PDB file of all heavy atoms in Angstrom:
ATOM      1  N   VAL Z 369      -5.891  32.638  31.235  1.00 66.00           N
ATOM      2  CA  VAL Z 369      -4.747  32.953  30.373  1.00 66.00           C
ATOM      3  C   VAL Z 369      -3.497  32.232  30.859  1.00 66.00           C
ATOM      4  O   VAL Z 369      -2.751  31.632  30.075  1.00 66.00           O
ATOM      5  CB  VAL Z 369      -4.511  34.474  30.313  1.00 66.00           C
ATOM      6  CG1 VAL Z 369      -3.215  34.787  29.561  1.00 66.00           C
ATOM      7  CG2 VAL Z 369      -5.689  35.169  29.621  1.00 66.00           C
ATOM      8  N   LEU Z 370      -3.240  32.251  32.169  1.00 72.00           N
ATOM      9  CA  LEU Z 370      -2.049  31.588  32.705  1.00 72.00           C
ATOM     10  C   LEU Z 370      -2.120  30.073  32.523  1.00 72.00           C
ATOM     11  O   LEU Z 370      -1.094  29.419  32.303  1.00 72.00           O
ATOM     12  CB  LEU Z 370      -1.870  31.941  34.185  1.00 72.00           C
ATOM     13  CG  LEU Z 370      -1.492  33.403  34.475  1.00 72.00           C
ATOM     14  CD1 LEU Z 370      -1.363  33.627  35.973  1.00 72.00           C
ATOM     15  CD2 LEU Z 370      -0.205  33.792  33.763  1.00 72.00           C
ATOM     16  N   SER Z 371      -3.321  29.513  32.589  1.00 74.00           N
ATOM     17  CA  SER Z 371      -3.454  28.073  32.359  1.00 74.00           C
ATOM     18  C   SER Z 371      -3.063  27.719  30.931  1.00 74.00           C
ATOM     19  O   SER Z 371      -2.479  26.661  30.680  1.00 74.00           O
ATOM     20  CB  SER Z 371      -4.888  27.611  32.648  1.00 74.00           C
ATOM     21  OG  SER Z 371      -5.796  28.057  31.652  1.00 74.00           O
ATOM     22  N   GLN Z 372      -3.362  28.604  29.993  1.00 65.00           N
ATOM     23  CA  GLN Z 372      -2.993  28.350  28.602  1.00 65.00           C
ATOM     24  C   GLN Z 372      -1.485  28.459  28.388  1.00 65.00           C
ATOM     25  O   GLN Z 372      -0.906  27.744  27.574  1.00 65.00           O
ATOM     26  CB  GLN Z 372      -3.720  29.326  27.665  1.00 65.00           C
ATOM     27  CG  GLN Z 372      -5.231  29.302  27.787  1.00 65.00           C
ATOM     28  CD  GLN Z 372      -5.794  27.902  27.768  1.00 65.00           C
ATOM     29  OE1 GLN Z 372      -5.666  27.183  26.792  1.00 65.00           O
ATOM     30  NE2 GLN Z 372      -6.434  27.512  28.857  1.00 65.00           N
ATOM     31  N   VAL Z 373      -0.829  29.348  29.129  1.00 69.00           N
ATOM     32  CA  VAL Z 373       0.626  29.420  29.064  1.00 69.00           C
ATOM     33  C   VAL Z 373       1.235  28.118  29.581  1.00 69.00           C
ATOM     34  O   VAL Z 373       2.182  27.573  29.002  1.00 69.00           O
ATOM     35  CB  VAL Z 373       1.151  30.623  29.881  1.00 69.00           C
ATOM     36  CG1 VAL Z 373       2.674  30.621  29.911  1.00 69.00           C
ATOM     37  CG2 VAL Z 373       0.647  31.932  29.280  1.00 69.00           C
ATOM     38  N   ALA Z 374       0.671  27.599  30.681  1.00 74.00           N
ATOM     39  CA  ALA Z 374       1.142  26.312  31.216  1.00 74.00           C
ATOM     40  C   ALA Z 374       0.989  25.212  30.178  1.00 74.00           C
ATOM     41  O   ALA Z 374       1.864  24.346  30.028  1.00 74.00           O
ATOM     42  CB  ALA Z 374       0.365  25.963  32.487  1.00 74.00           C
ATOM     43  N   LEU Z 375      -0.103  25.248  29.427  1.00 74.00           N
ATOM     44  CA  LEU Z 375      -0.324  24.237  28.393  1.00 74.00           C
ATOM     45  C   LEU Z 375       0.748  24.318  27.306  1.00 74.00           C
ATOM     46  O   LEU Z 375       1.191  23.286  26.787  1.00 74.00           O
ATOM     47  CB  LEU Z 375      -1.702  24.434  27.746  1.00 74.00           C
ATOM     48  CG  LEU Z 375      -2.918  24.131  28.610  1.00 74.00           C
ATOM     49  CD1 LEU Z 375      -4.191  24.360  27.817  1.00 74.00           C
ATOM     50  CD2 LEU Z 375      -2.882  22.719  29.133  1.00 74.00           C
ATOM     51  N   SER Z 376       1.182  25.522  26.974  1.00 71.00           N
ATOM     52  CA  SER Z 376       2.177  25.655  25.896  1.00 71.00           C
ATOM     53  C   SER Z 376       3.483  24.976  26.275  1.00 71.00           C
ATOM     54  O   SER Z 376       4.210  24.503  25.408  1.00 71.00           O
ATOM     55  CB  SER Z 376       2.405  27.129  25.553  1.00 71.00           C
ATOM     56  OG  SER Z 376       3.175  27.766  26.553  1.00 71.00           O
ATOM     57  N   PHE Z 377       3.786  24.898  27.568  1.00 78.00           N
ATOM     58  CA  PHE Z 377       5.018  24.238  27.991  1.00 78.00           C
ATOM     59  C   PHE Z 377       4.879  22.724  27.986  1.00 78.00           C
ATOM     60  O   PHE Z 377       5.889  22.008  28.035  1.00 78.00           O
ATOM     61  CB  PHE Z 377       5.435  24.738  29.376  1.00 78.00           C
ATOM     62  CG  PHE Z 377       5.961  26.142  29.371  1.00 78.00           C
ATOM     63  CD1 PHE Z 377       5.165  27.201  29.761  1.00 78.00           C
ATOM     64  CD2 PHE Z 377       7.240  26.416  28.927  1.00 78.00           C
ATOM     65  CE1 PHE Z 377       5.628  28.508  29.730  1.00 78.00           C
ATOM     66  CE2 PHE Z 377       7.723  27.717  28.890  1.00 78.00           C
ATOM     67  CZ  PHE Z 377       6.913  28.765  29.293  1.00 78.00           C
ATOM     68  N   GLY Z 378       3.673  22.225  27.930  1.00 84.00           N
ATOM     69  CA  GLY Z 378       3.474  20.785  27.845  1.00 84.00           C
ATOM     70  C   GLY Z 378       3.460  20.271  26.413  1.00 84.00           C
ATOM     71  O   GLY Z 378       3.511  19.059  26.189  1.00 84.00           O
ATOM     72  N   ILE Z 379       3.405  21.194  25.440  1.00 83.00           N
ATOM     73  CA  ILE Z 379       3.319  20.796  24.039  1.00 83.00           C
ATOM     74  C   ILE Z 379       4.500  19.931  23.590  1.00 83.00           C
ATOM     75  O   ILE Z 379       4.307  18.878  22.974  1.00 83.00           O
ATOM     76  CB  ILE Z 379       3.178  22.036  23.130  1.00 83.00           C
ATOM     77  CG1 ILE Z 379       1.819  22.700  23.348  1.00 83.00           C
ATOM     78  CG2 ILE Z 379       3.330  21.648  21.658  1.00 83.00           C
ATOM     79  CD1 ILE Z 379       1.686  24.057  22.672  1.00 83.00           C
ATOM     80  N   PRO Z 380       5.766  20.327  23.870  1.00 86.00           N
ATOM     81  CA  PRO Z 380       6.892  19.511  23.371  1.00 86.00           C
ATOM     82  C   PRO Z 380       6.860  18.072  23.875  1.00 86.00           C
ATOM     83  O   PRO Z 380       7.253  17.154  23.143  1.00 86.00           O
ATOM     84  CB  PRO Z 380       8.127  20.249  23.904  1.00 86.00           C
ATOM     85  CG  PRO Z 380       7.675  21.655  24.113  1.00 86.00           C
ATOM     86  CD  PRO Z 380       6.248  21.536  24.559  1.00 86.00           C
ATOM     87  N   PHE Z 381       6.378  17.853  25.110  1.00 91.00           N
ATOM     88  CA  PHE Z 381       6.367  16.511  25.674  1.00 91.00           C
ATOM     89  C   PHE Z 381       5.364  15.597  24.954  1.00 91.00           C
ATOM     90  O   PHE Z 381       5.510  14.371  24.990  1.00 91.00           O
ATOM     91  CB  PHE Z 381       6.032  16.563  27.164  1.00 91.00           C
ATOM     92  CG  PHE Z 381       7.090  17.223  27.990  1.00 91.00           C
ATOM     93  CD1 PHE Z 381       6.952  18.556  28.376  1.00 91.00           C
ATOM     94  CD2 PHE Z 381       8.232  16.539  28.372  1.00 91.00           C
ATOM     95  CE1 PHE Z 381       7.932  19.181  29.132  1.00 91.00           C
ATOM     96  CE2 PHE Z 381       9.218  17.158  29.132  1.00 91.00           C
ATOM     97  CZ  PHE Z 381       9.065  18.480  29.507  1.00 91.00           C
ATOM     98  N   ALA Z 382       4.360  16.193  24.331  1.00 92.00           N
ATOM     99  CA  ALA Z 382       3.417  15.404  23.542  1.00 92.00           C
ATOM    100  C   ALA Z 382       3.813  15.375  22.072  1.00 92.00           C
ATOM    101  O   ALA Z 382       3.702  14.344  21.404  1.00 92.00           O
ATOM    102  CB  ALA Z 382       2.006  15.977  23.698  1.00 92.00           C
ATOM    103  N   LEU Z 383       4.298  16.509  21.569  1.00 91.00           N
ATOM    104  CA  LEU Z 383       4.548  16.644  20.135  1.00 91.00           C
ATOM    105  C   LEU Z 383       5.788  15.881  19.689  1.00 91.00           C
ATOM    106  O   LEU Z 383       5.759  15.180  18.664  1.00 91.00           O
ATOM    107  CB  LEU Z 383       4.677  18.124  19.784  1.00 91.00           C
ATOM    108  CG  LEU Z 383       4.949  18.473  18.320  1.00 91.00           C
ATOM    109  CD1 LEU Z 383       3.910  17.839  17.419  1.00 91.00           C
ATOM    110  CD2 LEU Z 383       4.969  19.983  18.137  1.00 91.00           C
ATOM    111  N   ILE Z 384       6.888  15.994  20.429  1.00 93.00           N
ATOM    112  CA  ILE Z 384       8.129  15.331  20.002  1.00 93.00           C
ATOM    113  C   ILE Z 384       7.971  13.811  19.933  1.00 93.00           C
ATOM    114  O   ILE Z 384       8.317  13.191  18.919  1.00 93.00           O
ATOM    115  CB  ILE Z 384       9.303  15.742  20.912  1.00 93.00           C
ATOM    116  CG1 ILE Z 384       9.612  17.233  20.705  1.00 93.00           C
ATOM    117  CG2 ILE Z 384      10.540  14.895  20.622  1.00 93.00           C
ATOM    118  CD1 ILE Z 384      10.670  17.780  21.645  1.00 93.00           C
ATOM    119  N   PRO Z 385       7.418  13.158  20.980  1.00 96.00           N
ATOM    120  CA  PRO Z 385       7.204  11.709  20.853  1.00 96.00           C
ATOM    121  C   PRO Z 385       6.264  11.349  19.705  1.00 96.00           C
ATOM    122  O   PRO Z 385       6.460  10.331  19.040  1.00 96.00           O
ATOM    123  CB  PRO Z 385       6.594  11.324  22.208  1.00 96.00           C
ATOM    124  CG  PRO Z 385       7.042  12.382  23.142  1.00 96.00           C
ATOM    125  CD  PRO Z 385       7.083  13.633  22.330  1.00 96.00           C
ATOM    126  N   LEU Z 386       5.244  12.195  19.457  1.00 96.00           N
ATOM    127  CA  LEU Z 386       4.309  11.911  18.372  1.00 96.00           C
ATOM    128  C   LEU Z 386       5.032  11.915  17.027  1.00 96.00           C
ATOM    129  O   LEU Z 386       4.839  11.010  16.202  1.00 96.00           O
ATOM    130  CB  LEU Z 386       3.186  12.943  18.366  1.00 96.00           C
ATOM    131  CG  LEU Z 386       2.173  12.822  17.229  1.00 96.00           C
ATOM    132  CD1 LEU Z 386       1.348  11.542  17.368  1.00 96.00           C
ATOM    133  CD2 LEU Z 386       1.254  14.045  17.193  1.00 96.00           C
ATOM    134  N   VAL Z 387       5.868  12.926  16.782  1.00 95.00           N
ATOM    135  CA  VAL Z 387       6.605  13.014  15.512  1.00 95.00           C
ATOM    136  C   VAL Z 387       7.554  11.828  15.376  1.00 95.00           C
ATOM    137  O   VAL Z 387       7.666  11.216  14.302  1.00 95.00           O
ATOM    138  CB  VAL Z 387       7.363  14.346  15.423  1.00 95.00           C
ATOM    139  CG1 VAL Z 387       8.256  14.377  14.180  1.00 95.00           C
ATOM    140  CG2 VAL Z 387       6.385  15.518  15.392  1.00 95.00           C
ATOM    141  N   VAL Z 388       8.260  11.492  16.461  1.00 95.00           N
ATOM    142  CA  VAL Z 388       9.209  10.378  16.418  1.00 95.00           C
ATOM    143  C   VAL Z 388       8.494   9.062  16.134  1.00 95.00           C
ATOM    144  O   VAL Z 388       8.917   8.274  15.264  1.00 95.00           O
ATOM    145  CB  VAL Z 388       9.988  10.285  17.751  1.00 95.00           C
ATOM    146  CG1 VAL Z 388      10.810   9.000  17.799  1.00 95.00           C
ATOM    147  CG2 VAL Z 388      10.897  11.501  17.924  1.00 95.00           C
ATOM    148  N   LEU Z 389       7.412   8.790  16.827  1.00 95.00           N
ATOM    149  CA  LEU Z 389       6.706   7.512  16.673  1.00 95.00           C
ATOM    150  C   LEU Z 389       6.091   7.367  15.288  1.00 95.00           C
ATOM    151  O   LEU Z 389       6.152   6.284  14.686  1.00 95.00           O
ATOM    152  CB  LEU Z 389       5.617   7.387  17.740  1.00 95.00           C
ATOM    153  CG  LEU Z 389       6.108   7.153  19.179  1.00 95.00           C
ATOM    154  CD1 LEU Z 389       4.953   7.281  20.156  1.00 95.00           C
ATOM    155  CD2 LEU Z 389       6.759   5.776  19.307  1.00 95.00           C
ATOM    156  N   THR Z 390       5.505   8.437  14.770  1.00 96.00           N
ATOM    157  CA  THR Z 390       4.864   8.334  13.454  1.00 96.00           C
ATOM    158  C   THR Z 390       5.876   8.312  12.320  1.00 96.00           C
ATOM    159  O   THR Z 390       5.519   8.009  11.180  1.00 96.00           O
ATOM    160  CB  THR Z 390       3.866   9.485  13.235  1.00 96.00           C
ATOM    161  OG1 THR Z 390       4.519  10.742  13.454  1.00 96.00           O
ATOM    162  CG2 THR Z 390       2.680   9.362  14.183  1.00 96.00           C
TER     163      THR Z 390
END
Side-chain angles (χ1 to χ4, degrees):
V369 173
L370 291 179
S371 72
Q372 303 312 297
V373 175
L375 291 181
S376 74
F377 288 101
I379 292 170
F381 293 99
L383 180 54
I384 293 175
L386 176 67
V387 174
V388 171
L389 288 171
T390 54

